[in-house]
Amino acid sequence: MSIAFDNEQQIFHLSTPKTSYIMKVFNKRYLAHVYWGKKIKTPDMDNACLNRFICFSPVTSDENGVNVPDFLCQEYATGCGTDYRIPSISAVYEDGSRTVELWFESYEIKKGKYSLKGLPATYTEDDSEADTLVITLRDRLKNLKVELLYGVYNNLDVITRAVRVINSGDADVILEKVVSANVDFETADFDFLQLSGAWGRERHIERNPLRSGIQSIESRRGASSHQLNPFMVLADKKADEDYGNVYGFNLVYSGNFTAGAEVDQIFKTRVWMGINDYDFSWKLEKGQEFTAPEVVMVHSSEGLGEMSRTYHKLYRTRLVRGKYRDEVRPILANNWEATYFDFNEEKILGLAKEAADLGIELLVLDDGWFGKRNSDNCSLGDWYVNEEKLPGGITELARKVNEYGIKFGLWFEPEMVSPDSDLYRKHRDWCIHVPGRSRNECRFQLTLDLSRKDVCDYVVEAVSNILDSANISYVKWDMNRHMSELGSAMLPADRQKEMAHRYMLGLYDILERVVSSHPDVLFESCSGGGGRFDPGMLYYMPQTWTSDDTDAVERLKIQYGTSLAYPISTMGAHVSAVPNHQAGRVTSLKMRGDVAMSGNFGYELDLMNFTDEEKAEVKAQIAQYKELRTFIQSGDMYRLLSPFEGNNTAWMFISEDGNDVFAGYFRVLCQVNPGISRLKFKGLSEDSNYEVVGEDKKYSGDELMNIGLVVDLYGDYMSRTFRLKKVK
Ligand code: DGJ
């Protein structure tokens, strides 16, 4: 059992292979946080769990002793005027009072991991893989019960948390804030790492020292967003890829979130993460419960690299589901950057034939196949085929593509409606809107109100009708705007602030229904590229289109940053045309191929424009990726050189058995008369020898890791890859 309760000392000790997480029931009432970090034996509590007076901070005292909530490290902070740091929960009771006083009541330890009704979460396949701790806190006056859920993995350094609030009182309660976790640290000697950006520039790593006050990230956009990912790390100031304590937090949720760190007056730090309380409230009627989504917490005492590999393994094996969790992902060609809206059946079949000749395994037809959509200004919601472009419909097109020996995939944007669509003309109240106010469009579209059951049913039916009408093996599920004028025609006035979260619950319900009834389809999520790259979406769809920016240089930062939390097998990465459509840059076909191979590989350009020489190079790339993908997609990743720190980027992948290695080294700009550049590998076995495939050379693991291999590159936008095999 990874969870123990010491009754005498009133201590919970959660342990994973290399970490400990310790809490104490303090003065019989308060749940205090004691420690999270490298594995230790249970410590002496007088030493480990401090409770001291601070001037101008209230004291609660009773027959059990004295408690200074503003000082004590809290496990789930209620504020209520005695702890002035940021609270995790706020509520308004029927009498207008707002004090939530949560006292420890009981606990339960169970084998296996909890699941969350209607919400995505990491899972186990066997109860022996994890244990669950449920700690019940109660506001005795109002009978509000708060269950803190902990999932503790036995073979991974992962602790997950979630919260259930149950109204056992006699009257309605309005929840104004329920975050999923807070973790208090005794110190503020940390850097705060976040993944920020914009459309086309997603998940760049930013690192800043903590300072007094609040540093936070959030989304108010109705999606996890391109701008700030629901992921943050606290890292020792000197921590790097291989060294130092780092603490990762990732929310398994795809909507509005809040996360951050507050450094208080005595330089302690409180981290929180959960649903954003901005424009949120939830009316909890008597007997009802509210569940806050899961936070996945990973501690590593061996730096960021180890933390990422833990997230990668967990997400690859116990977050994503379905047949493609354990299967290699197909190499695809997507017609978007090849044709945009300007295609017909002949053009698509031409691409399919060419794709098949090159060894590509799947042809994806992107936007523009339905309604009268020849540009982005109409037809979303009208999910029937445009027979002018595709006379035989999707059924015939898929059949003809299959005749070339490759699979067929299709694009949808089911959460949206165009004002110029039959759907909108019929159901003007099906979109998110506030009566009498402007309905502001973005990309000429409005967002469907997925807080409504009838709208969700329509979406499931519309998508399923198409999926069931043809041999479709892949779906790209896109979403191209953020929410505005939040309101639902179906919700009463006192529930309007529930809309954004109800949308997410509706979306998750749709995804569960569509995905589970089409188990053989590979789903890839997308939101203008990587605008909803989060663990919530990955639970339903095992891969995400990483970014609309396909420029090889730009992708170094995007893919490197994304890998801080998310595994390679979740990242779509395509070779596109030059000059690149987003950046205007001309990079070599080799570099474009090498960068895209560090993800789920594909092509997104007019395959018919290749010269014979390029065709031969592309065929070789495809053959190479087929050989490498088993371990690129499922092996361990080591980041070797950061694009955020210099001109050179490098990373490598190693198979689980350690026998196969692939490394990429990328140089953005040429330096004349440069110093010596070497690629120093990581994660190899010091005592083994490795053959450099294609070079008839062998080196020992210790040489490869400590001396490294020389990389000589000439010219801008260059790359060099190494394929190693362990030899006896
Ligand atoms: C945004 C996506 O990110 C693109 O790849 C493409 O599918 C377009 N939408 C289509 O409208």
PDB file of all heavy atoms in Angstrom, residues 330 332 334 362-366 407-412 467 471-477 520-525 543 545 574:
ATOM      1  N   PRO A 330      -0.078   6.248 -37.680  1.00  0.00           N
ATOM      2  CA  PRO A 330       0.182   6.267 -39.121  1.00  0.00           C
ATOM      3  C   PRO A 330       0.838   7.566 -39.590  1.00  0.00           C
ATOM      4  O   PRO A 330       0.621   8.628 -39.003  1.00  0.00           O
ATOM      5  CB  PRO A 330      -1.220   6.128 -39.722  1.00  0.00           C
ATOM      6  CG  PRO A 330      -2.158   6.562 -38.656  1.00  0.00           C
ATOM      7  CD  PRO A 330      -1.502   6.272 -37.340  1.00  0.00           C
ATOM      8  N   LEU A 332       0.770  10.500 -42.034  1.00  0.00           N
ATOM      9  CA  LEU A 332      -0.366  11.029 -42.795  1.00  0.00           C
ATOM     10  C   LEU A 332       0.048  12.158 -43.725  1.00  0.00           C
ATOM     11  O   LEU A 332       1.096  12.792 -43.546  1.00  0.00           O
ATOM     12  CB  LEU A 332      -1.466  11.492 -41.838  1.00  0.00           C
ATOM     13  CG  LEU A 332      -1.209  12.681 -40.901  1.00  0.00           C
ATOM     14  CD1 LEU A 332      -1.384  14.015 -41.596  1.00  0.00           C
ATOM     15  CD2 LEU A 332      -2.176  12.602 -39.721  1.00  0.00           C
ATOM     16  N   ASN A 334      -1.926  15.637 -45.108  1.00  0.00           N
ATOM     17  CA  ASN A 334      -3.113  16.458 -44.913  1.00  0.00           C
ATOM     18  C   ASN A 334      -3.155  17.488 -46.041  1.00  0.00           C
ATOM     19  O   ASN A 334      -2.137  18.084 -46.385  1.00  0.00           O
ATOM     20  CB  ASN A 334      -3.015  17.142 -43.532  1.00  0.00           C
ATOM     21  CG  ASN A 334      -4.194  18.040 -43.248  1.00  0.00           C
ATOM     22  OD1 ASN A 334      -4.517  18.937 -44.016  1.00  0.00           O
ATOM     23  ND2 ASN A 334      -4.841  17.806 -42.119  1.00  0.00           N
ATOM     24  N   LEU A 362      -1.994   7.395 -44.689  1.00  0.00           N
ATOM     25  CA  LEU A 362      -3.319   7.953 -44.415  1.00  0.00           C
ATOM     26  C   LEU A 362      -3.441   9.298 -45.108  1.00  0.00           C
ATOM     27  O   LEU A 362      -2.525  10.120 -45.011  1.00  0.00           O
ATOM     28  CB  LEU A 362      -3.433   8.136 -42.883  1.00  0.00           C
ATOM     29  CG  LEU A 362      -4.508   9.032 -42.307  1.00  0.00           C
ATOM     30  CD1 LEU A 362      -5.882   8.399 -42.468  1.00  0.00           C
ATOM     31  CD2 LEU A 362      -4.255   9.271 -40.814  1.00  0.00           C
ATOM     32  N   LEU A 363      -4.538   9.505 -45.829  1.00  0.00           N
ATOM     33  CA  LEU A 363      -4.767  10.815 -46.429  1.00  0.00           C
ATOM     34  C   LEU A 363      -5.903  11.510 -45.682  1.00  0.00           C
ATOM     35  O   LEU A 363      -6.988  10.941 -45.540  1.00  0.00           O
ATOM     36  CB  LEU A 363      -5.146  10.711 -47.900  1.00  0.00           C
ATOM     37  CG  LEU A 363      -5.298  12.128 -48.470  1.00  0.00           C
ATOM     38  CD1 LEU A 363      -3.980  12.630 -49.025  1.00  0.00           C
ATOM     39  CD2 LEU A 363      -6.394  12.221 -49.485  1.00  0.00           C
ATOM     40  N   VAL A 364      -5.649  12.731 -45.214  1.00  0.00           N
ATOM     41  CA  VAL A 364      -6.658  13.457 -44.441  1.00  0.00           C
ATOM     42  C   VAL A 364      -7.221  14.599 -45.275  1.00  0.00           C
ATOM     43  O   VAL A 364      -6.478  15.443 -45.784  1.00  0.00           O
ATOM     44  CB  VAL A 364      -6.042  14.030 -43.142  1.00  0.00           C
ATOM     45  CG1 VAL A 364      -7.094  14.824 -42.365  1.00  0.00           C
ATOM     46  CG2 VAL A 364      -5.471  12.913 -42.289  1.00  0.00           C
ATOM     47  N   LEU A 365      -8.553  14.608 -45.415  1.00  0.00           N
ATOM     48  CA  LEU A 365      -9.228  15.721 -46.077  1.00  0.00           C
ATOM     49  C   LEU A 365      -9.628  16.723 -45.008  1.00  0.00           C
ATOM     50  O   LEU A 365     -10.422  16.436 -44.116  1.00  0.00           O
ATOM     51  CB  LEU A 365     -10.469  15.206 -46.829  1.00  0.00           C
ATOM     52  CG  LEU A 365     -11.332  16.277 -47.487  1.00  0.00           C
ATOM     53  CD1 LEU A 365     -10.539  17.114 -48.485  1.00  0.00           C
ATOM     54  CD2 LEU A 365     -12.532  15.632 -48.178  1.00  0.00           C
ATOM     55  N   ASP A 366      -9.078  17.915 -45.102  1.00  0.00           N
ATOM     56  CA  ASP A 366      -9.295  18.951 -44.087  1.00  0.00           C
ATOM     57  C   ASP A 366     -10.550  19.759 -44.410  1.00  0.00           C
ATOM     58  O   ASP A 366     -11.451  19.300 -45.136  1.00  0.00           O
ATOM     59  CB  ASP A 366      -8.016  19.821 -44.008  1.00  0.00           C
ATOM     60  CG  ASP A 366      -7.771  20.397 -42.625  1.00  0.00           C
ATOM     61  OD1 ASP A 366      -8.432  21.391 -42.293  1.00  0.00           O
ATOM     62  OD2 ASP A 366      -6.935  19.845 -41.873  1.00  0.00           O
ATOM     63  N   LYS A 407      -5.328   4.707 -45.883  1.00  0.00           N
ATOM     64  CA  LYS A 407      -6.535   5.008 -45.125  1.00  0.00           C
ATOM     65  C   LYS A 407      -7.011   6.425 -45.426  1.00  0.00           C
ATOM     66  O   LYS A 407      -6.256   7.244 -45.963  1.00  0.00           O
ATOM     67  CB  LYS A 407      -6.244   4.880 -43.633  1.00  0.00           C
ATOM     68  CG  LYS A 407      -5.936   3.452 -43.236  1.00  0.00           C
ATOM     69  CD  LYS A 407      -5.665   3.353 -41.765  1.00  0.00           C
ATOM     70  CE  LYS A 407      -5.577   1.871 -41.408  1.00  0.00           C
ATOM     71  NZ  LYS A 407      -5.035   1.647 -40.107  1.00  0.00           N
ATOM     72  N   PHE A 408      -8.251   6.687 -44.999  1.00  0.00           N
ATOM     73  CA  PHE A 408      -8.839   7.995 -45.257  1.00  0.00           C
ATOM     74  C   PHE A 408      -9.256   8.644 -43.935  1.00  0.00           C
ATOM     75  O   PHE A 408      -9.815   7.993 -43.051  1.00  0.00           O
ATOM     76  CB  PHE A 408     -10.064   7.836 -46.168  1.00  0.00           C
ATOM     77  CG  PHE A 408     -10.803   9.123 -46.408  1.00  0.00           C
ATOM     78  CD1 PHE A 408     -10.286  10.086 -47.273  1.00  0.00           C
ATOM     79  CD2 PHE A 408     -11.996   9.384 -45.750  1.00  0.00           C
ATOM     80  CE1 PHE A 408     -10.953  11.289 -47.473  1.00  0.00           C
ATOM     81  CE2 PHE A 408     -12.670  10.587 -45.949  1.00  0.00           C
ATOM     82  CZ  PHE A 408     -12.151  11.534 -46.817  1.00  0.00           C
ATOM     83  N   GLY A 409      -8.975   9.941 -43.796  1.00  0.00           N
ATOM     84  CA  GLY A 409      -9.354  10.667 -42.577  1.00  0.00           C
ATOM     85  C   GLY A 409     -10.072  11.962 -42.924  1.00  0.00           C
ATOM     86  O   GLY A 409      -9.942  12.487 -44.036  1.00  0.00           O
ATOM     87  N   LEU A 410     -10.831  12.505 -41.981  1.00  0.00           N
ATOM     88  CA  LEU A 410     -11.683  13.662 -42.261  1.00  0.00           C
ATOM     89  C   LEU A 410     -11.643  14.683 -41.130  1.00  0.00           C
ATOM     90  O   LEU A 410     -11.567  14.330 -39.957  1.00  0.00           O
ATOM     91  CB  LEU A 410     -13.125  13.157 -42.440  1.00  0.00           C
ATOM     92  CG  LEU A 410     -14.111  14.093 -43.116  1.00  0.00           C
ATOM     93  CD1 LEU A 410     -13.660  14.460 -44.536  1.00  0.00           C
ATOM     94  CD2 LEU A 410     -15.506  13.444 -43.170  1.00  0.00           C
ATOM     95  N   TRP A 411     -11.757  15.958 -41.521  1.00  0.00           N
ATOM     96  CA  TRP A 411     -11.769  17.102 -40.595  1.00  0.00           C
ATOM     97  C   TRP A 411     -13.201  17.460 -40.195  1.00  0.00           C
ATOM     98  O   TRP A 411     -14.110  17.430 -41.021  1.00  0.00           O
ATOM     99  CB  TRP A 411     -11.130  18.290 -41.309  1.00  0.00           C
ATOM    100  CG  TRP A 411     -11.046  19.588 -40.569  1.00  0.00           C
ATOM    101  CD1 TRP A 411      -9.974  20.056 -39.867  1.00  0.00           C
ATOM    102  CD2 TRP A 411     -12.047  20.626 -40.507  1.00  0.00           C
ATOM    103  NE1 TRP A 411     -10.245  21.313 -39.368  1.00  0.00           N
ATOM    104  CE2 TRP A 411     -11.519  21.684 -39.744  1.00  0.00           C
ATOM    105  CE3 TRP A 411     -13.336  20.758 -41.018  1.00  0.00           C
ATOM    106  CZ2 TRP A 411     -12.215  22.862 -39.480  1.00  0.00           C
ATOM    107  CZ3 TRP A 411     -14.051  21.927 -40.753  1.00  0.00           C
ATOM    108  CH2 TRP A 411     -13.483  22.966 -39.981  1.00  0.00           C
ATOM    109  N   PHE A 412     -13.401  17.824 -38.950  1.00  0.00           N
ATOM    110  CA  PHE A 412     -14.685  18.362 -38.467  1.00  0.00           C
ATOM    111  C   PHE A 412     -14.396  19.548 -37.550  1.00  0.00           C
ATOM    112  O   PHE A 412     -13.361  19.589 -36.889  1.00  0.00           O
ATOM    113  CB  PHE A 412     -15.428  17.338 -37.600  1.00  0.00           C
ATOM    114  CG  PHE A 412     -15.995  16.151 -38.323  1.00  0.00           C
ATOM    115  CD1 PHE A 412     -15.224  14.998 -38.496  1.00  0.00           C
ATOM    116  CD2 PHE A 412     -17.300  16.157 -38.783  1.00  0.00           C
ATOM    117  CE1 PHE A 412     -15.751  13.884 -39.124  1.00  0.00           C
ATOM    118  CE2 PHE A 412     -17.838  15.038 -39.411  1.00  0.00           C
ATOM    119  CZ  PHE A 412     -17.061  13.897 -39.579  1.00  0.00           C
ATOM    120  N   LEU A 467     -19.437   9.618 -39.910  1.00  0.00           N
ATOM    121  CA  LEU A 467     -18.456   8.559 -39.612  1.00  0.00           C
ATOM    122  C   LEU A 467     -18.992   7.180 -39.994  1.00  0.00           C
ATOM    123  O   LEU A 467     -18.234   6.303 -40.399  1.00  0.00           O
ATOM    124  CB  LEU A 467     -18.077   8.572 -38.123  1.00  0.00           C
ATOM    125  CG  LEU A 467     -17.256   9.759 -37.639  1.00  0.00           C
ATOM    126  CD1 LEU A 467     -16.851   9.598 -36.184  1.00  0.00           C
ATOM    127  CD2 LEU A 467     -16.010   9.953 -38.503  1.00  0.00           C
ATOM    128  N   ASN A 471     -15.755   4.703 -44.903  1.00  0.00           N
ATOM    129  CA  ASN A 471     -14.643   4.048 -44.211  1.00  0.00           C
ATOM    130  C   ASN A 471     -13.639   5.118 -43.759  1.00  0.00           C
ATOM    131  O   ASN A 471     -12.632   5.369 -44.417  1.00  0.00           O
ATOM    132  CB  ASN A 471     -13.987   3.027 -45.138  1.00  0.00           C
ATOM    133  CG  ASN A 471     -13.009   2.150 -44.373  1.00  0.00           C
ATOM    134  OD1 ASN A 471     -13.068   2.085 -43.143  1.00  0.00           O
ATOM    135  ND2 ASN A 471     -12.105   1.511 -45.084  1.00  0.00           N
ATOM    136  N   ILE A 472     -13.945   5.715 -42.628  1.00  0.00           N
ATOM    137  CA  ILE A 472     -13.125   6.824 -42.101  1.00  0.00           C
ATOM    138  C   ILE A 472     -12.275   6.294 -40.949  1.00  0.00           C
ATOM    139  O   ILE A 472     -12.800   5.765 -39.972  1.00  0.00           O
ATOM    140  CB  ILE A 472     -14.029   7.979 -41.639  1.00  0.00           C
ATOM    141  CG1 ILE A 472     -14.771   8.539 -42.858  1.00  0.00           C
ATOM    142  CG2 ILE A 472     -13.219   9.066 -40.942  1.00  0.00           C
ATOM    143  CD1 ILE A 472     -15.863   9.518 -42.542  1.00  0.00           C
ATOM    144  N   SER A 473     -10.979   6.423 -41.075  1.00  0.00           N
ATOM    145  CA  SER A 473     -10.076   5.828 -40.077  1.00  0.00           C
ATOM    146  C   SER A 473      -9.494   6.857 -39.115  1.00  0.00           C
ATOM    147  O   SER A 473      -8.820   6.495 -38.149  1.00  0.00           O
ATOM    148  CB  SER A 473      -8.887   5.160 -40.775  1.00  0.00           C
ATOM    149  OG  SER A 473      -9.341   4.274 -41.743  1.00  0.00           O
ATOM    150  N   TYR A 474      -9.705   8.134 -39.437  1.00  0.00           N
ATOM    151  CA  TYR A 474      -9.051   9.194 -38.648  1.00  0.00           C
ATOM    152  C   TYR A 474      -9.963  10.411 -38.660  1.00  0.00           C
ATOM    153  O   TYR A 474     -10.573  10.718 -39.682  1.00  0.00           O
ATOM    154  CB  TYR A 474      -7.705   9.503 -39.296  1.00  0.00           C
ATOM    155  CG  TYR A 474      -7.045  10.812 -38.907  1.00  0.00           C
ATOM    156  CD1 TYR A 474      -5.969  10.831 -38.016  1.00  0.00           C
ATOM    157  CD2 TYR A 474      -7.475  12.027 -39.458  1.00  0.00           C
ATOM    158  CE1 TYR A 474      -5.351  12.034 -37.677  1.00  0.00           C
ATOM    159  CE2 TYR A 474      -6.856  13.225 -39.117  1.00  0.00           C
ATOM    160  CZ  TYR A 474      -5.802  13.221 -38.234  1.00  0.00           C
ATOM    161  OH  TYR A 474      -5.183  14.402 -37.904  1.00  0.00           O
ATOM    162  N   VAL A 475     -10.016  11.108 -37.528  1.00  0.00           N
ATOM    163  CA  VAL A 475     -10.772  12.357 -37.452  1.00  0.00           C
ATOM    164  C   VAL A 475      -9.893  13.449 -36.855  1.00  0.00           C
ATOM    165  O   VAL A 475      -9.233  13.238 -35.837  1.00  0.00           O
ATOM    166  CB  VAL A 475     -12.033  12.186 -36.570  1.00  0.00           C
ATOM    167  CG1 VAL A 475     -12.631  13.532 -36.179  1.00  0.00           C
ATOM    168  CG2 VAL A 475     -13.079  11.335 -37.289  1.00  0.00           C
ATOM    169  N   LYS A 476      -9.889  14.602 -37.522  1.00  0.00           N
ATOM    170  CA  LYS A 476      -9.253  15.789 -36.934  1.00  0.00           C
ATOM    171  C   LYS A 476     -10.390  16.650 -36.381  1.00  0.00           C
ATOM    172  O   LYS A 476     -11.232  17.141 -37.142  1.00  0.00           O
ATOM    173  CB  LYS A 476      -8.465  16.530 -38.010  1.00  0.00           C
ATOM    174  CG  LYS A 476      -7.777  17.796 -37.523  1.00  0.00           C
ATOM    175  CD  LYS A 476      -6.893  18.341 -38.641  1.00  0.00           C
ATOM    176  CE  LYS A 476      -6.313  19.699 -38.332  1.00  0.00           C
ATOM    177  NZ  LYS A 476      -5.623  20.263 -39.507  1.00  0.00           N
ATOM    178  N   TRP A 477     -10.436  16.809 -35.054  1.00  0.00           N
ATOM    179  CA  TRP A 477     -11.530  17.514 -34.372  1.00  0.00           C
ATOM    180  C   TRP A 477     -11.034  18.914 -34.019  1.00  0.00           C
ATOM    181  O   TRP A 477     -10.299  19.097 -33.060  1.00  0.00           O
ATOM    182  CB  TRP A 477     -11.923  16.743 -33.113  1.00  0.00           C
ATOM    183  CG  TRP A 477     -13.100  17.271 -32.369  1.00  0.00           C
ATOM    184  CD1 TRP A 477     -13.175  18.424 -31.648  1.00  0.00           C
ATOM    185  CD2 TRP A 477     -14.386  16.646 -32.234  1.00  0.00           C
ATOM    186  NE1 TRP A 477     -14.415  18.561 -31.078  1.00  0.00           N
ATOM    187  CE2 TRP A 477     -15.175  17.476 -31.416  1.00  0.00           C
ATOM    188  CE3 TRP A 477     -14.947  15.447 -32.709  1.00  0.00           C
ATOM    189  CZ2 TRP A 477     -16.491  17.152 -31.073  1.00  0.00           C
ATOM    190  CZ3 TRP A 477     -16.254  15.138 -32.358  1.00  0.00           C
ATOM    191  CH2 TRP A 477     -17.010  15.986 -31.552  1.00  0.00           C
ATOM    192  N   ASP A 520     -12.273   2.176 -33.661  1.00  0.00           N
ATOM    193  CA  ASP A 520     -11.154   1.969 -34.589  1.00  0.00           C
ATOM    194  C   ASP A 520     -10.642   3.261 -35.208  1.00  0.00           C
ATOM    195  O   ASP A 520      -9.683   3.251 -35.985  1.00  0.00           O
ATOM    196  CB  ASP A 520     -11.588   1.013 -35.715  1.00  0.00           C
ATOM    197  CG  ASP A 520     -11.794  -0.382 -35.144  1.00  0.00           C
ATOM    198  OD1 ASP A 520     -11.074  -0.730 -34.187  1.00  0.00           O
ATOM    199  OD2 ASP A 520     -12.698  -1.083 -35.628  1.00  0.00           O
ATOM    200  N   VAL A 521     -11.299   4.355 -34.897  1.00  0.00           N
ATOM    201  CA  VAL A 521     -10.894   5.632 -35.503  1.00  0.00           C
ATOM    202  C   VAL A 521      -9.809   6.281 -34.638  1.00  0.00           C
ATOM    203  O   VAL A 521      -9.904   6.305 -33.411  1.00  0.00           O
ATOM    204  CB  VAL A 521     -12.119   6.579 -35.616  1.00  0.00           C
ATOM    205  CG1 VAL A 521     -11.699   7.951 -36.110  1.00  0.00           C
ATOM    206  CG2 VAL A 521     -13.177   5.970 -36.530  1.00  0.00           C
ATOM    207  N   LEU A 522      -8.786   6.808 -35.305  1.00  0.00           N
ATOM    208  CA  LEU A 522      -7.762   7.587 -34.600  1.00  0.00           C
ATOM    209  C   LEU A 522      -8.236   9.043 -34.570  1.00  0.00           C
ATOM    210  O   LEU A 522      -8.475   9.639 -35.623  1.00  0.00           O
ATOM    211  CB  LEU A 522      -6.420   7.475 -35.338  1.00  0.00           C
ATOM    212  CG  LEU A 522      -5.301   8.406 -34.862  1.00  0.00           C
ATOM    213  CD1 LEU A 522      -4.931   8.148 -33.405  1.00  0.00           C
ATOM    214  CD2 LEU A 522      -4.054   8.242 -35.753  1.00  0.00           C
ATOM    215  N   PHE A 523      -8.386   9.608 -33.376  1.00  0.00           N
ATOM    216  CA  PHE A 523      -8.845  10.993 -33.239  1.00  0.00           C
ATOM    217  C   PHE A 523      -7.660  11.895 -32.907  1.00  0.00           C
ATOM    218  O   PHE A 523      -6.839  11.566 -32.049  1.00  0.00           O
ATOM    219  CB  PHE A 523      -9.885  11.112 -32.120  1.00  0.00           C
ATOM    220  CG  PHE A 523     -11.229  10.532 -32.480  1.00  0.00           C
ATOM    221  CD1 PHE A 523     -11.489   9.179 -32.308  1.00  0.00           C
ATOM    222  CD2 PHE A 523     -12.229  11.337 -33.007  1.00  0.00           C
ATOM    223  CE1 PHE A 523     -12.725   8.635 -32.643  1.00  0.00           C
ATOM    224  CE2 PHE A 523     -13.468  10.804 -33.344  1.00  0.00           C
ATOM    225  CZ  PHE A 523     -13.716   9.450 -33.164  1.00  0.00           C
ATOM    226  N   GLU A 524      -7.614  13.035 -33.604  1.00  0.00           N
ATOM    227  CA  GLU A 524      -6.590  14.041 -33.301  1.00  0.00           C
ATOM    228  C   GLU A 524      -7.316  15.344 -32.990  1.00  0.00           C
ATOM    229  O   GLU A 524      -8.118  15.816 -33.792  1.00  0.00           O
ATOM    230  CB  GLU A 524      -5.643  14.221 -34.498  1.00  0.00           C
ATOM    231  CG  GLU A 524      -4.623  15.328 -34.291  1.00  0.00           C
ATOM    232  CD  GLU A 524      -3.361  15.172 -35.170  1.00  0.00           C
ATOM    233  OE1 GLU A 524      -3.137  14.077 -35.731  1.00  0.00           O
ATOM    234  OE2 GLU A 524      -2.616  16.150 -35.289  1.00  0.00           O
ATOM    235  N   SER A 525      -7.055  15.925 -31.829  1.00  0.00           N
ATOM    236  CA  SER A 525      -7.726  17.183 -31.528  1.00  0.00           C
ATOM    237  C   SER A 525      -6.886  18.347 -32.030  1.00  0.00           C
ATOM    238  O   SER A 525      -5.680  18.218 -32.263  1.00  0.00           O
ATOM    239  CB  SER A 525      -8.011  17.316 -30.033  1.00  0.00           C
ATOM    240  OG  SER A 525      -6.886  17.794 -29.360  1.00  0.00           O
ATOM    241  N   GLN A 543      -3.880  12.200 -29.764  1.00  0.00           N
ATOM    242  CA  GLN A 543      -2.894  13.141 -30.301  1.00  0.00           C
ATOM    243  C   GLN A 543      -3.542  14.482 -30.609  1.00  0.00           C
ATOM    244  O   GLN A 543      -4.758  14.580 -30.761  1.00  0.00           O
ATOM    245  CB  GLN A 543      -2.177  12.555 -31.515  1.00  0.00           C
ATOM    246  CG  GLN A 543      -3.043  12.090 -32.655  1.00  0.00           C
ATOM    247  CD  GLN A 543      -2.238  11.281 -33.679  1.00  0.00           C
ATOM    248  OE1 GLN A 543      -1.661  10.241 -33.369  1.00  0.00           O
ATOM    249  NE2 GLN A 543      -2.193  11.775 -34.901  1.00  0.00           N
ATOM    250  N   TRP A 545      -2.931  18.327 -32.851  1.00  0.00           N
ATOM    251  CA  TRP A 545      -2.158  19.087 -33.849  1.00  0.00           C
ATOM    252  C   TRP A 545      -1.420  20.191 -33.083  1.00  0.00           C
ATOM    253  O   TRP A 545      -2.026  21.092 -32.524  1.00  0.00           O
ATOM    254  CB  TRP A 545      -3.101  19.629 -34.921  1.00  0.00           C
ATOM    255  CG  TRP A 545      -2.446  20.470 -35.985  1.00  0.00           C
ATOM    256  CD1 TRP A 545      -2.910  21.656 -36.467  1.00  0.00           C
ATOM    257  CD2 TRP A 545      -1.243  20.191 -36.715  1.00  0.00           C
ATOM    258  NE1 TRP A 545      -2.071  22.133 -37.442  1.00  0.00           N
ATOM    259  CE2 TRP A 545      -1.032  21.251 -37.611  1.00  0.00           C
ATOM    260  CE3 TRP A 545      -0.311  19.147 -36.686  1.00  0.00           C
ATOM    261  CZ2 TRP A 545       0.060  21.313 -38.476  1.00  0.00           C
ATOM    262  CZ3 TRP A 545       0.781  19.208 -37.540  1.00  0.00           C
ATOM    263  CH2 TRP A 545       0.956  20.277 -38.422  1.00  0.00           C
ATOM    264  N   HIS A 574       4.255  18.016 -39.006  1.00  0.00           N
ATOM    265  CA  HIS A 574       4.232  17.771 -40.456  1.00  0.00           C
ATOM    266  C   HIS A 574       5.302  18.576 -41.192  1.00  0.00           C
ATOM    267  O   HIS A 574       5.593  19.711 -40.825  1.00  0.00           O
ATOM    268  CB  HIS A 574       2.872  18.156 -41.044  1.00  0.00           C
ATOM    269  CG  HIS A 574       1.723  17.419 -40.420  1.00  0.00           C
ATOM    270  ND1 HIS A 574       0.415  17.776 -40.615  1.00  0.00           N
ATOM    271  CD2 HIS A 574       1.687  16.335 -39.594  1.00  0.00           C
ATOM    272  CE1 HIS A 574      -0.381  16.950 -39.939  1.00  0.00           C
ATOM    273  NE2 HIS A 574       0.369  16.073 -39.307  1.00  0.00           N
TER     274      HIS A 574
END
